Amino acid sequence: MENNNSTSSRTDRKVIERNRRNHMKSLYFTLNSLLPHHSSKESVSLPDQLDEAANYIKKLQMKLERMRERKESLLGSSDHDQNVRMCGLRSPVIKVHEIGSVLEVVLITGLDSQMMFNEGVRVLHEEGAEIVNANFSVVDDTVFHSIHSMVGDSAPGHVAARISERLNKFVQDSNAF
């Protein structure tokens, strides 16, 4: 019976080893399939395939780093600017357009500047403008608000100037903190 057990355990070890080798062969094949292939028809040894894979991964890492550096240079961003942009902490941009009695306020803010939109609505209301439409769009970490309103017939140009002045003052005061 011991002879039977030793034969059985030897057979089990052989099966386990064969399965391990087949699994490794499958993994090597998968790795090799991910590499750019050269047109040579000669077979490449396993150690050479692994060297080729390691070199290819290193080239990809260097290429990725160069692309990151190029992206940063194109964006013109320092680490501080990038951290500020990632947190959504940038100065809002305010543009007030007047066309007759129609007033459009465009606010470009970071994701954290909901109060800027609220302040824009409040200032328009206090200055007697009737808000007709308000909408926003989010692109990456930037929010574009557009508020359309109607101003009364009494000196609409002055209303636009006052609204622009008040909103810009609000931005300056909030950036002081």
Side-chain angles (χ1 to χ4, degrees):
M1 199 132 123
E2 283 184 30
N3 197 12
N4 214 6
N5 274 344
S6 68
T7 305
S8 171
S9 72
R10 201 175 309 138
T11 305
D12 289 344
R13 281 195 302 260
K14 284 182 181 181
V15 168
I16 290 170
E17 179 60 20
R18 186 179 326 119
N19 288 342
R20 186 192 68 78
R21 285 192 312 269
N22 286 338
H23 183 66
M24 291 301 292
K25 186 186 273 187
S26 171
L27 291 174
Y28 290 133
F29 176 78
T30 302
L31 179 64
N32 193 39
S33 72
L34 296 173
L35 299 175
H37 291 289
H38 305 290
S39 59
S40 69
K41 300 196 180 186
E42 58 190 56
S43 177
V44 180
S45 70
L46 185 59
D48 289 343
Q49 288 178 15
L50 292 174
D51 281 341
E52 188 178 329
N55 289 332
Y56 181 64
I57 291 169
K58 287 177 187 174
K59 284 180 190 176
L60 288 176
Q61 287 174 327
M62 290 180 358
K63 184 177 181 180
L64 178 64
E65 185 57 34
R66 282 194 310 269
M67 291 173 84
R68 280 187 184 137
E69 289 170 2
R70 178 159 165 71
K71 177 184 173 187
E72 285 180 19
S73 72
L74 289 173
L75 291 174
S77 63
S78 66
D79 287 341
H80 178 278
D81 291 341
Q82 189 172 8
N83 289 339
V84 165
R85 198 176 303 116
M86 291 173 93
C87 296
L89 301 173
R90 71 164 75 100
S91 294
V93 176
I94 301 167
K95 296 179 182 176
V96 179
H97 305 283
E98 177 190 4
I99 305 166
S101 62
V102 175
L103 193 64
E104 177 186 41
V105 177
V106 177
L107 306 170
I108 304 171
T109 67
L111 292 173
D112 65 333
S113 296
Q114 181 64 31
M115 67 178 183
M116 191 66 223
F117 174 77
N118 296 342
E119 182 65 12
V121 170
R122 188 180 69 76
V123 168
L124 285 166
H125 179 71
E126 287 177 359
E127 292 294 333
E130 179 185 340
I131 296 175
V132 176
N133 181 335
N135 58 53
F136 71 95
S137 297
V138 178
V139 178
D140 294 328
D141 62 345
T142 304
V143 183
F144 300 88
H145 299 275
S146 179
I147 306 169
H148 295 94
S149 61
M150 300 287 285
V151 292
D153 293 333
S154 61
H158 295 298
V159 174
R162 278 196 318 265
I163 289 171
S164 182
E165 181 182 320
R166 287 183 64 186
L167 290 175
N168 283 311
K169 183 174 179 348
F170 177 77
V171 168
Q172 289 171 356
D173 290 349
S174 63
N175 284 340
F177 298 105

